[in-house]
Amino acid sequence: MIFVSINKNFISHPLIKENSIARREYQENIFINCLNNNCLVVIPTGLGKTIIALMLAVHRLTEVPNLKVLFLAPTKPLVEQHYKSFLDLTTLPPESLISLTGAVAPEKRKELWASIKIAFMTPQVLQNDLISSFYSLDNVSLIIFDECHRAVGDYAYCFIAKKYIDMSNSPQILGLTASPGSTVGKINEIKQNLFIEHIEIRTEKDSDVKPYIHNVDNEWIKIKLPSEFLEIKKILEEKLRNCYRSLKENDLLGSYDILKITRKDLLKLNNLINRRISTARDNDEKFRMFNAKKLTANAIRLSHMTELIETQGLSALKDYFEKNEEKIKINKANKSLKELFADYDFKRARKLTYELYSKGLVHPKIERLKEILTNQINENPHSRILVFCHFRDSVNNIVKYFDENNIIKIHKFVGQAARGSEKGLTQKEQIKLLSEFKDGIYNTLVGTSVAEEGLDIEECDLVVFYDVVPSAIRSIQRRGRTGRKREGKVFVLMAEGTRDEGYYWAEKAKEKNMKSSLEKIKSSEVQTNLGQSNLLNFITSEKNEDNESIDEISSDLSSIKKIEDADKLEIICDNRETASPVVRTLSLMGINLKLEQLQVADYVISERVGIERKSAKDFNDSIIDGRLFTELSGLGAKFSRPVLILEGDPFQASNVSENALYGAITSIILNLGISIYKTKNPSETAQFLYQLAKKEQSTTKSSLKLRFDKAPIETSHLLEYVVAGIPGVNALRAKNLLKELKTLQNIFLADIPDLTKIENIGKKIAQEIYKISRYEYKNNH
């Protein structure tokens, strides 16, 4: 039975506000075809994928009213956008629709879960809650994965989908995207990771979509670089060519043509050089390979600097110089960087950059951008404009350039991560900024990739690419910010004769491949529906953009089985380990996990057993930077049975000598008394942790404690240890409390005014002591 009905003009359902959603044939068709399947919907941007999700959500709530629906999106602004759409369009009680992001405390999320009908969440928050067993997905009837092209590799969508299929009695999955990937292999990876059974594809050419497509004019603007820029570019390219020539002479590159060597080629060189170092027959060969490492590092830097002068301008290049000069000044630069900045020709390029910058010379792109924005605002004062940049420095420089412009009211729109001393925008600030953009306080936002996905800004009628991205997914997402409710324009600024042009052709080829791949899959779906064999199901070596097979790139989460009685085991994990597949694997095995911020250890399975996990690369790097023995000394001091798990082979492709590695390993075992266990991969690490916990916890029935300091023997120290366990009370405050009040009894019976008289005890800490001392224990976990 289909509970959502569609009359002549509007979609109708008791849970949808009357006459709030206009009827569109393609949405109706997609909805009907997704009713009984785990479905992937590929649909051009601006065509109301949220409405398709809403139709399926209210259908599931009607079909199984005692179950919940989850709507996942990659960022908090996107989560809030979907949440607001459902509030505006449904008759569901507002308190049953809740946005559960990281801004809501974990315990509060756990409490709210019981009353929710539809939860809107970021995948990272849901993943952490599932790992911590705050609630189960067994009472969820539908999960919507927005921007589901992210469901590859270790992204949280893959873990959540597997967990959901394992837990739920009535699972249904809906994936939504405008750009799933450039190859059949990539698209099939998403299908596999989200357990997709059916795919619905719509393009601008489809008859049921055509009436709703708004025209978007695309214009590519070629810009010539000034001769002064070309002079700096020539110096940098000559230095780069010399690096390539030396690397070719050592059989590390096949060419020294700067047009043929990509940044990806350089990044791959490190492993090759490390292998050559570990197998070197004599010191001369080792010396050449260590020199090759320096050349590779500087080649990556020079390639980046060339890109900056070509596509971004003097200001971005000057900023890059200054950041690295500061590193050298405070002695945080490595040898290769110091040598590069001491080079005569390189000094000439820097000097020329600073001289031209002081004269006010700017990249012609920014002058053309000013012309485009000014014309647009003059023609339509209510216009909204998005400018996309690859680099955050470019965002800052553009905002600075328009700072005093009265016509173009501009603001940056970047991610949360800090860049050096510059803070990012919190998700709360991003949401506020989008609201101000819609209201016209700003008419132009200059953003990085964070502004590309999903944001539905109806008023946006112009998008400008300040630079070209060689990614079909990102280009489609950028263009999709305009033409959503009315006609729009897209301008792409391309520096002539630079890598902008190379990126242009790369992006075009990938987008063409994506369209071809979608047509193949669409044709395959039609054949399958007619009862013919689906040949794509038999593809076993489809190649993706990086020439990897499906089997190589697919997540192996689908093969992980829940272990009987594993929920009787408990492992405390450092909350920073959730980025590792190990924690997700342990969760899927059914082990009871607790996420804590641990001062030492990555995993704790008892009071005496703490485990540090290091990949082979991290192990080698920590030997070089000196943190290895500091970290492991702390582990040995806290636990009587410390264990180091070494994941991978540190001797393979190592930049550390064999003798140094053996020296480190023997010192860890003999001097620190730490056991070392070697695993091949995260899956084997998870299996070892399970076996370790099973053995250790079979001999004890007590709950795993959350404090892991070794308890002192002397009674006075023991009292300090107990008092210091109160939130906000450190060792010094514990001593002050005991010095004045003498006993634990006096401390816990004291009133707040008496506590605040003690040195370093403020009102907030006094209230905490008072509250805890009178809290009634509840054994409900």
Side-chain angles (χ1 to χ4, degrees), residues 473-490:
I473 290 175
R474 291 185 62 192
S475 287
I476 290 168
Q477 293 289 348
R478 283 183 174 190
R479 291 200 304 270
R481 296 317 101 212
T482 190
R484 299 176 81 85
K485 300 297 179 184
R486 58 177 184 265
E487 291 187 353
K489 289 184 284 187
V490 174

Side-chain angles (χ1 to χ4, degrees), residues 472-648:
I473 290 175
R474 291 185 62 192
S475 287
I476 290 168
Q477 293 289 348
R478 283 183 174 190
R479 291 200 304 270
R481 296 317 101 212
T482 190
R484 299 176 81 85
K485 300 297 179 184
R486 58 177 184 265
E487 291 187 353
K489 289 184 284 187
V490 174
F491 288 110
V492 183
L493 306 182
M494 182 165 58
E496 199 171 345
T498 70
R499 69 190 69 201
D500 267 353
E501 289 191 339
Y503 289 166
Y504 164 75
W505 292 111
E507 188 278 324
K508 282 293 171 192
K510 288 175 182 177
E511 196 166 336
K512 185 178 178 183
N513 284 343
M514 182 184 293
K515 289 178 180 177
S516 173
S517 298
L518 289 173
E519 286 300 324
K520 284 181 189 176
I521 292 175
K522 193 172 183 180
S523 173
S524 161
E525 288 272 336
V526 171
Q527 290 173 2
T528 303
N529 291 338
L530 293 173
Q532 298 180 31
S533 173
N534 182 358
L535 295 177
L536 289 178
N537 288 337
F538 297 95
I539 295 175
T540 57
S541 59
E542 177 69 40
K543 301 292 180 177
N544 75 347
E545 292 155 285
D546 299 320
N547 295 319
E548 298 171 304
S549 72
I550 294 173
D551 290 337
E552 291 169 334
I553 61 175
S554 293
S555 167
D556 63 352
L557 293 179
S558 59
S559 64
I560 299 167
K561 304 296 182 187
K562 189 171 183 180
I563 299 172
E564 190 177 351
D565 293 334
D567 58 348
K568 294 178 181 177
L569 303 177
E570 186 177 337
I571 298 178
I572 296 177
C573 313
D574 184 71
N575 55 22
R576 289 157 291 195
E577 277 287 295
T578 54
S580 154
V582 174
V583 175
R584 295 192 285 273
T585 303
L586 289 169
S587 177
L588 291 171
M589 289 164 70
I591 295 168
N592 183 16
L593 302 178
K594 289 187 178 180
L595 298 180
E596 300 286 337
Q597 187 152 347
L598 302 177
Q599 292 180 342
V600 294
D602 294 321
Y603 302 92
V604 174
I605 61 171
S606 72
E607 280 194 78
R608 67 175 191 154
V609 182
I611 300 111
E612 182 78 17
R613 181 187 74 94
K614 285 201 176 293
S615 67
K617 183 181 183 304
D618 187 35
F619 182 77
N620 291 347
D621 290 345
S622 62
I623 291 173
I624 293 168
D625 62 29
R627 60 187 159 86
L628 177 66
F629 288 97
T630 303
E631 291 174 356
L632 293 182
S633 294
L635 184 74
K638 298 288 183 184
F639 299 96
S640 59
R641 291 288 186 273
V643 178
L644 170 64
I645 295 178
L646 194 48
E647 200 174 277

Side-chain angles (χ1 to χ4, degrees), residues 58-104:
V58 299
H59 169 78
R60 289 295 277 169
L61 288 175
T62 310
E63 190 177 43
V64 274
N66 58 325
L67 301 186
K68 306 175 190 296
V69 169
L70 285 180
F71 199 134
L72 303 179
T75 64
K76 186 176 176 182
L78 202 45
V79 167
E80 294 298 324
Q81 180 177 291
H82 293 313
Y83 169 59
K84 189 174 185 304
S85 295
F86 273 60
L87 276 177
D88 292 343
L89 298 173
T90 70
T91 60
L92 287 161
E95 62 272 15
S96 69
L97 304 174
I98 299 182
S99 170
L100 290 179
T101 62
V104 181

Side-chain angles (χ1 to χ4, degrees), residues 77 413 426-439 441-442:
F413 190 84
T426 66
Q427 291 187 331
K428 189 174 181 180
E429 289 171 328
Q430 291 172 8
I431 292 167
K432 181 173 181 284
L433 189 54
L434 287 173
S435 176
E436 291 172 343
F437 182 58
K438 288 182 178 183
D439 293 342
I441 294 171
Y442 303 104

Side-chain angles (χ1 to χ4, degrees), residues 216-219 221 368-377 379-380 382-388 437 443-445 457-465 478-479 481-484 486-492:
V216 176
D217 291 328
N218 291 272
E219 185 176 343
I221 301 172
R368 191 59 189 273
L369 178 66
K370 181 181 179 181
E371 181 186 326
I372 291 167
L373 300 187
T374 303
N375 289 342
Q376 180 72 14
I377 299 298
E379 287 175 16
N380 178 10
H382 301 293
S383 187
R384 299 290 184 275
I385 305 165
L386 280 172
V387 179
F388 287 104
F437 182 58
N443 55 29
T444 305
L445 292 183
I457 303 166
E458 296 178 9
E459 299 82 1
C460 181
D461 49 7
L462 173 62
V463 166
V464 181
F465 290 29
R478 283 183 174 190
R479 291 200 304 270
R481 296 317 101 212
T482 190
R484 299 176 81 85
R486 58 177 184 265
E487 291 187 353
K489 289 184 284 187
V490 174
F491 288 110
V492 183

Side-chain angles (χ1 to χ4, degrees), residues 218-361:
N218 291 272
E219 185 176 343
W220 295 79
I221 301 172
K222 286 192 174 184
I223 294 169
K224 286 189 175 182
L225 293 179
S227 58
E228 295 90 343
F229 280 41
L230 294 174
E231 189 177 348
I232 296 169
K233 181 173 178 275
K234 184 180 177 183
I235 297 169
L236 295 174
E237 285 184 341
E238 189 54 40
K239 294 298 303 174
L240 184 58
R241 196 175 287 108
N242 288 339
C243 289
Y244 289 168
R245 189 178 285 112
S246 295
L247 292 169
K248 184 179 184 298
E249 288 169 0
N250 282 287
D251 297 323
L252 293 166
L253 286 177
S255 169
Y256 57 83
D257 185 343
I258 59 173
L259 298 176
K260 292 181 180 178
I261 307 299
T262 66
R263 197 86 51 82
K264 190 179 286 185
D265 295 327
L266 295 174
L267 292 170
K268 286 179 180 177
L269 269 188
N270 248 332
N271 284 338
L272 176 58
I273 294 170
N274 287 339
R275 281 197 297 272
R276 292 272 294 270
I277 290 171
S278 63
T279 58
R281 290 164 295 181
D282 52 50
N283 288 332
D284 285 345
E285 188 176 354
K286 278 187 180 179
F287 177 79
R288 287 198 306 276
M289 288 303 102
F290 278 116
N291 188 56
K293 282 183 78 71
K294 289 195 293 183
L295 289 169
T296 303
N298 282 337
I300 292 169
R301 293 182 183 115
L302 287 162
S303 175
H304 178 64
M305 286 183 256
T306 307
E307 183 174 4
L308 290 179
I309 190 63
E310 285 179 345
T311 65
Q312 310 299 318
L314 293 168
S315 185
L317 183 59
K318 181 185 78 74
D319 289 346
Y320 184 79
F321 285 153
E322 287 175 345
K323 285 175 186 176
N324 285 290
E325 285 165 357
E326 181 63 22
K327 282 184 184 178
I328 294 169
K329 185 178 176 182
I330 62 176
N331 205 27
K332 285 194 175 180
N334 56 30
K335 195 173 180 182
S336 60
L337 183 65
K338 290 176 182 176
E339 288 180 4
L340 178 63
F341 271 65
D343 180 83
Y344 173 78
D345 290 322
F346 187 76
K347 281 182 178 178
R348 210 157 49 86
R350 284 162 57 206
K351 184 171 182 281
L352 190 55
T353 300
Y354 286 125
E355 285 175 357
L356 294 173
Y357 179 80
S358 67
K359 293 177 182 177
L361 188 66

